Amino acid sequence: MDQFTLPDNQLLGEEQTEAEELPVISQRIQDIIEVLNNFKELGDHERGRSAYVEQLIKDMAVYYGYSEFLLEKLFNLFSVSEALEFFEANEVPRPVTIRTNTLRTRRRDLAQALINRGVNLEPIGKWTKVGLTIFDSTVPIGATPEYLAGHYILQSASSFLPVMALAPQENEKILDMASAPGGKTTYIAALMKNTGIIFANDSNKERTKGLVSNIHRLGIKNTVVCNYDGREFPTVLGGFDRVLLDAPCSGTGVISKDQSVKINKTEKDFILLPHLQKELLLSAIDSVDAKSSKGGYIVYSTCSVTVEENEAVVNYALKKRPNVKLVPTGLDFGKEGFTNYRGKIFHPSLKLTRRFYPHVHNMDGFFVSKFKKFSNKYELKRKNDDNDHKDLINKYELKRKNDDDDHKVSKTKIDK
């Protein structure tokens, strides 16, 4: 490449960057990445690497339409080149996928029936025996006779993963703590062959309507739908063999579906959301019976890729509940979770958690962890939990009390 010169300091301003043509910004992004990948030979050592990174973040925020705050948070998860791949992948929709309802049909028979209706499809991959990827179709996939008869459900490939990690067994008692719209609940029921009992809970009563609809359409007979704040468990009900918590999150793994995430997430979200997630995870752990003959497992997952909502939450639970440990998820692909990140050191067992990225696995960004509870004896009064995190929230509120209040965050109802 020709020698690239970083713009002068006056060009680092946001107004100047926004005024430039996108092709100019795109070319500068490519040039800066090339310099950063070989900084020793190509970089301006007087300006330093940080000046290039600062300009790159500003340019990427404008080019891809993110707030600088969120773009920098996501950028820091990857190497420079991989960060570009991640942001590019978020601009492309993920493939449409469906899950075969094995209570009603087999994948082979379903595939043939849909092919006969003009659907172009193929299996998602070797890791699932029930998923199909839909490339194109001459009929609406959500209105075929097979769909209406409950032979399949439209479900993202990434949401298969927490259920596979949970590995429910027949005749167990299971809690899906945040279950709407029901893709994971109905997958659990299928794996249990309609035996045992599932409590499908969701804190949002309106969302339970779609949950009930899917349960009926797919022929699920072992499920009780309930509407509680997940933090009320196990007071409401406990003694479960397994609990799945696919927690409310920022949605940074599903930006390709919801572009509004790019600009509507603030620093406050990444304080309040992890606080809620920590409370829910402690409730999930407390709801499981360690004496379960086959179970005693908790799966915590999110459709977010941020460390604050994933490894930091899991690490917190390990500290607060020494009666649990992380175990392998049983998923034979995905990247290992972080054991250290930007100066934060996590428990070494965090390497057993799994991360999934759109640019690597061609599915929504996702995080999956699996706990084994080995004792019921440990008890901790709930009122004493999270004091350290509440202190952080109080300090934040004090710092921001005069800030603009236009952006409101719900602490308990965050739709993915």
Side-chain angles (χ1 to χ4, degrees):
M1 63 177 283
D2 295 334
Q3 185 66 36
F4 171 74
T5 303
L6 194 66
D8 292 333
N9 287 334
Q10 66 263 27
L11 289 183
L12 294 175
E14 186 176 338
E15 292 181 4
Q16 176 66 38
T17 303
E18 289 181 348
E20 292 179 293
E21 296 286 340
L22 287 181
V24 174
I25 297 173
S26 176
Q27 183 59 51
R28 189 163 64 228
I29 288 171
Q30 297 293 337
D31 291 340
I32 293 176
I33 288 174
E34 190 164 350
V35 170
L36 289 172
N37 285 334
N38 188 12
F39 191 76
K40 186 176 180 180
E41 299 290 332
L42 303 175
D44 182 345
H45 294 273
E46 289 186 8
R47 299 285 293 278
R49 187 180 180 89
S50 60
Y52 287 85
V53 172
E54 181 183 354
Q55 182 66 50
L56 180 59
I57 288 171
K58 289 180 182 293
D59 286 342
M60 281 184 154
V62 172
Y63 188 76
Y64 293 108
Y66 289 74
S67 67
E68 275 191 40
F69 163 77
L70 183 62
L71 190 129
E72 183 174 5
K73 182 176 287 293
L74 298 175
F75 179 89
N76 289 332
L77 292 168
F78 308 102
S79 67
V80 174
S81 295
E82 191 176 4
L84 180 64
E85 293 176 15
F86 173 78
F87 291 117
E88 280 291 337
N90 286 340
E91 301 302 302
V92 182
R94 302 278 75 76
V96 175
T97 53
I98 62 174
R99 177 179 58 79
T100 308
N101 178 19
T102 52
L103 294 173
R104 295 240 161 118
T105 188
R106 295 180 298 179
R107 182 171 69 171
R108 180 177 59 189
D109 297 334
L110 173 63
Q112 190 57 57
L114 292 177
I115 289 169
N116 291 342
R117 294 191 186 279
V119 180
N120 182 15
L121 53 78
E122 71 175 25
I124 291 178
K126 293 181 180 179
W127 58 270
T128 173
K129 296 180 180 179
V130 295
L132 291 167
T133 299
I134 308 297
F135 296 108
D136 56 72
S137 174
T138 58
V139 294
I141 290 299
T144 65
E146 287 77 17
Y147 175 86
L148 298 173
H151 289 196
Y152 66 90
I153 183 172
L154 284 155
Q155 187 172 353
S156 64
S158 58
S159 68
F160 292 21
L161 302 172
V163 178
M164 293 170 65
L166 189 69
Q169 305 297 307
E170 293 180 35
N171 298 306
E172 287 188 329
K173 177 183 173 184
I174 290 179
L175 170 64
D176 187 352
M177 192 174 270
S179 59
K184 286 176 281 292
T185 297
T186 53
Y187 191 8
I188 292 170
L191 291 174
M192 294 171 68
K193 299 179 181 176
N194 254 343
T195 65
I197 185 166
I198 303 168
F199 288 86
N201 179 70
D202 202 274
S203 62
N204 186 332
K205 191 170 185 177
E206 195 63 28
R207 281 168 59 85
T208 61
K209 294 177 182 178
L211 170 62
V212 170
S213 175
N214 279 321
I215 286 171
H216 284 307
R217 184 174 60 82
L218 297 172
I220 308 303
K221 300 177 182 178
N222 66 344
T223 299
V224 176
V225 174
C226 48
N227 170 224
Y228 291 99
D229 185 321
R231 293 169 291 186
E232 295 182 47
F233 290 89
T235 304
V236 174
L237 190 64
F240 293 96
D241 295 301
R242 298 168 200 258
V243 173
L244 172 60
L245 172 57
D246 186 39
C249 68
S250 64
T252 52
V254 292
I255 293 173
S256 65
K257 291 180 182 175
D258 183 5
Q259 298 284 312
S260 68
V261 173
K262 292 180 176 183
I263 57 172
N264 68 11
K265 298 302 173 204
T266 67
E267 182 183 0
K268 191 173 182 179
D269 289 282
F270 293 100
I271 293 176
L272 298 181
L273 275 169
H275 177 60
L276 171 62
Q277 291 157 348
K278 289 171 182 176
E279 290 184 315
L280 288 170
L281 181 51
L282 294 185
S283 293
I285 291 169
D286 294 343
S287 299
V288 165
D289 182 8
K291 296 179 180 178
S292 169
S293 58
K294 297 181 293 182
Y297 293 101
I298 306 97
V299 167
Y300 172 78
S301 62
T302 72
C303 58
S304 171
V305 296
T306 65
V307 172
E308 292 91 336
E309 299 176 85
N310 296 322
E311 286 88 350
V313 172
V314 170
N315 195 65
Y316 175 88
L318 291 173
K319 289 181 179 179
K320 289 292 183 180
R321 294 294 185 269
N323 55 334
V324 298
K325 63 179 180 180
L326 284 174
V327 295
T329 60
L331 303 170
D332 58 6
F333 70 114
K335 293 196 170 187
E336 291 184 357
F338 291 105
T339 54
N340 60 78
Y341 177 75
R342 297 180 69 79
K344 296 178 181 178
I345 306 298
F346 302 127
H347 194 278
S349 64
L350 263 295
K351 69 180 181 182
L352 296 174
T353 64
R354 288 292 176 265
R355 287 178 152 266
F356 301 88
Y357 297 117
H359 64 289
V360 177
H361 307 103
N362 198 21
M363 61 175 65
D364 294 330
F366 223 79
F367 175 84
V368 181
S369 60
K370 185 174 185 177
F371 297 83
K372 170 69 174 174
K373 186 174 181 180
F374 51 83
S375 172
N376 289 325
K377 292 182 180 179
Y378 179 78
E379 292 183 5
L380 186 68
K381 290 182 180 180
R382 293 293 301 279
K383 67 179 181 179
N384 291 327
D385 287 350
D386 301 339
N387 282 344
D388 51 350
H389 201 81
K390 286 177 181 175
D391 287 344
L392 179 61
I393 290 177
N394 291 336
K395 288 177 183 177
Y396 177 86
E397 295 293 353
L398 186 63
K399 172 187 169 188
R400 297 293 295 269
K401 66 179 180 179
N402 296 321
D403 285 1
D404 186 1
D405 268 339
D406 288 345
H407 183 75
K408 303 292 184 183
V409 178
S410 168
K411 294 173 67 175
T412 57
K413 298 180 181 180
I414 299 177
D415 292 337
K416 292 193 267 185

